[in-house]
Amino acid sequence: MGRFDGRRPPETVSYEPASVKDLLVEMKDTAELLIDLSYSAVLHASPSVAREVIELEHRMDVLQMRARMSLMLAARNPSEAETLAPVLGVVGAADKVSDAAGDIAKIVLEEIGLPDAMRGALTEGVETLVRGTVADDSPYDGRTLKDIDLESATGVRVIAIRRDDEWILNPGPRTRLKRGDVTLLRGPETGVADVYPTLAGEPFEADEPVEPAIDDLERAVDSIVLMKNLSELAVDLAYGSVLFDNEELAEEVSNLEIEVDALQSRFEAWTLRAAKEADDPVSLRGLIHLGVATEEISDAALEITEGVLRDIGVHPVVEMAVRESDEIITRTQVTGGSDLVGTPIEAGVPATEIATSVLAIRRPDEGWLVGPDLDTTIRAGDVIISKGTRTSAAEFAELAA
């Protein structure tokens, strides 16, 4: 079970009949949201978002304990124990992701200190994530997300809602907002500035960008941002490799973990060099803290894939989760004579008639290209990590061959 931060007593957890599949899906969604929120908390110096990370970390603790209880009862013979062992590994790795996200959030909550250059590292294309509580007199109170239609009008999405002690992850069009709901909004800063006052009843105050004054510090900060993107991708691929028993995805997680390790080594060197020129070297302590936690997330992602890499096999409970999901993550290598060569990608969407989105590209001569605003042209030899339906994945693979 995860660590407790001392601010609240551990919640008593007793066994309740629960679907292991549903628990695994919720833990996956929670882990991904934890990573997202923790980095947003430090990048925007937001104590309110950081506190939501701690609340969600407590939720993850309960999910882990219930999953372990259910898995212990599910193993009825040595054969089932063998196939359930990797699922326990997934649960343990989620614990590490949760703890690392909590450590990142505490950089803000415990005022460990972080250079202002962190905000300067955010490019104009990076979306803003803010926490907003639905005001009593908000026009959104009582309306569904489909009725409000924020995304079409402003590009802003509600990625999660906390209602009292319950979380609504991945809210859908029929989800209805209520006064007092704590919402997590993601989108362009201009869109958030339009939506936030209507939702929360108060103006939105954006961060002022800060440019790094020290070259080595700028390199260190850029490394952290890339480590963050690679670690997030590693977790996404790791869960995909387990859910779909895909050894190729698991091998890409291993490649990502090696890249993050190398980045951390360079990051530490640049941070130490920057300390010589910094007016207050102690202010860099949070940056080092962030680097360690980021590397722990990539390590946890590799741990998730252990069962796939050892060819232990997938337990039926995981296969059940697969059958309920039509959207999958795939790894596709582009050959020299492929029709995809020369195809442009804008904002992560390739210019094809196939409905798929590109999460990342591993390029032989450049390494990993990853990010929400991926713009490039597909080349021969590219290894493309994409997300889409099973049908679109098969069609995309045909084009790549």
Side-chain angles (χ1 to χ4, degrees):
M1 193 161 174
R3 296 165 298 174
F4 297 100
D5 62 1
R7 281 192 285 269
R8 59 186 277 188
E11 181 179 342
T12 300
V13 181
S14 56
Y15 173 73
E16 297 177 6
S19 162
V20 175
K21 172 184 66 67
D22 291 343
L23 288 169
L24 288 174
V25 170
E26 187 172 354
M27 289 175 68
K28 172 185 178 294
D29 291 343
T30 302
E32 291 172 346
L33 182 58
L34 270 166
I35 295 171
D36 211 7
L37 292 184
S38 61
Y39 284 110
S40 293
V42 295
L43 291 172
H44 299 288
S46 172
S48 61
V49 173
R51 282 190 287 271
E52 295 302 331
V53 172
I54 301 302
E55 289 296 322
L56 202 54
E57 187 184 7
H58 290 308
R59 172 62 182 160
M60 179 68 98
D61 289 339
V62 174
L63 288 172
Q64 289 168 55
M65 183 61 73
R66 287 181 176 160
R68 288 192 178 114
M69 290 175 179
S70 296
L71 287 168
M72 290 173 71
L73 289 171
R76 292 167 294 187
N77 54 57
S79 176
E80 287 201 349
E82 183 180 280
T83 55
L84 281 170
V87 185
L88 276 171
V90 173
V91 173
D95 178 42
K96 291 184 178 179
V97 170
S98 177
D99 287 346
D103 287 342
I104 292 171
K106 289 169 189 173
I107 294 173
V108 177
L109 295 176
E110 297 178 4
E111 299 181 355
I112 293 174
L114 199 69
D116 288 336
M118 281 303 303
R119 293 202 310 275
L122 294 175
T123 63
E124 293 181 0
V126 173
E127 293 181 313
T128 298
L129 190 152
V130 298
R131 170 191 182 276
T133 302
V134 179
D136 290 346
D137 57 351
S138 171
Y140 298 154
D141 176 32
R143 295 171 61 189
T144 64
L145 294 180
K146 181 179 180 179
D147 179 35
I148 298 170
D149 199 17
L150 294 180
E151 191 166 358
S152 297
T154 64
V156 175
R157 303 183 302 281
V158 180
I159 64 172
I161 299 169
R162 180 168 60 80
R163 183 169 294 159
D164 298 324
D165 292 330
E166 295 297 320
W167 282 88
I168 303 173
L169 306 176
N170 299 320
R174 297 181 180 178
T175 303
R176 193 176 300 274
L177 293 180
K178 297 181 180 179
R179 63 184 67 185
D181 280 355
V182 176
T183 64
L184 298 169
L185 308 174
R186 173 186 287 285
E189 189 172 286
T190 53
V192 172
D194 289 340
V195 170
Y196 190 85
T198 307
L199 180 136
E202 57 186 26
F204 171 70
E205 297 181 3
D207 296 326
E208 290 295 329
V210 180
E211 292 299 326
I214 304 172
D215 288 342
D216 285 323
L217 180 57
E218 184 174 6
R219 296 187 188 100
V221 168
D222 288 345
S223 294
I224 278 290
V225 173
L226 181 54
M227 286 170 66
K228 164 194 175 291
N229 290 336
L230 294 180
S231 294
E232 286 179 321
L233 177 62
V235 171
D236 209 5
L237 291 183
Y239 278 113
S241 74
V242 171
L243 288 176
F244 307 112
D245 195 19
N246 190 314
E247 189 172 347
E248 289 183 336
L249 291 182
E251 289 172 352
E252 293 301 340
V253 174
S254 180
N255 291 331
L256 283 165
E257 195 271 340
I258 292 170
E259 180 70 17
V260 171
D261 282 350
L263 277 169
Q264 189 191 23
S265 179
R266 295 197 291 270
F267 154 75
E268 289 173 349
W270 285 324
T271 303
L272 289 172
R273 288 175 184 169
K276 294 191 301 183
E277 302 179 49
D279 294 333
D280 180 17
V282 176
S283 67
L284 303 182
R285 188 165 65 98
L287 198 58
I288 295 172
H289 199 82
L290 186 60
V292 171
T294 301
E295 199 269 338
E296 288 176 353
I297 290 173
S298 71
D299 286 347
L302 186 60
E303 187 174 319
I304 290 171
T305 66
E306 185 176 13
V308 178
L309 293 174
R310 292 183 184 275
D311 198 24
I312 294 176
V314 177
H315 191 274
V317 71
V318 179
E319 293 177 355
M320 288 169 58
V322 174
R323 284 197 297 269
E324 289 200 3
S325 175
D326 188 47
E327 189 174 62
I328 63 173
I329 297 172
T330 56
R331 172 194 182 275
T332 308
Q333 183 158 15
V334 181
T335 62
S338 167
D339 291 337
L340 283 178
V341 174
T343 299
I345 296 176
E346 295 184 5
V349 179
T352 68
E353 295 181 355
I354 300 171
T356 191
S357 58
V358 175
L359 302 178
I361 295 175
R362 181 163 58 81
R363 187 159 282 171
D365 55 343
E366 296 181 26
W368 285 94
L369 308 177
V370 59
D373 299 304
L374 184 62
D375 294 326
T376 188
T377 300
I378 297 175
R379 301 178 188 173
D382 283 352
V383 174
I384 299 176
I385 307 298
S386 58
K387 178 183 286 187
T389 64
R390 295 175 187 277
T391 301
S392 67
E395 292 174 347
F396 196 71
E398 287 181 9
L399 282 180

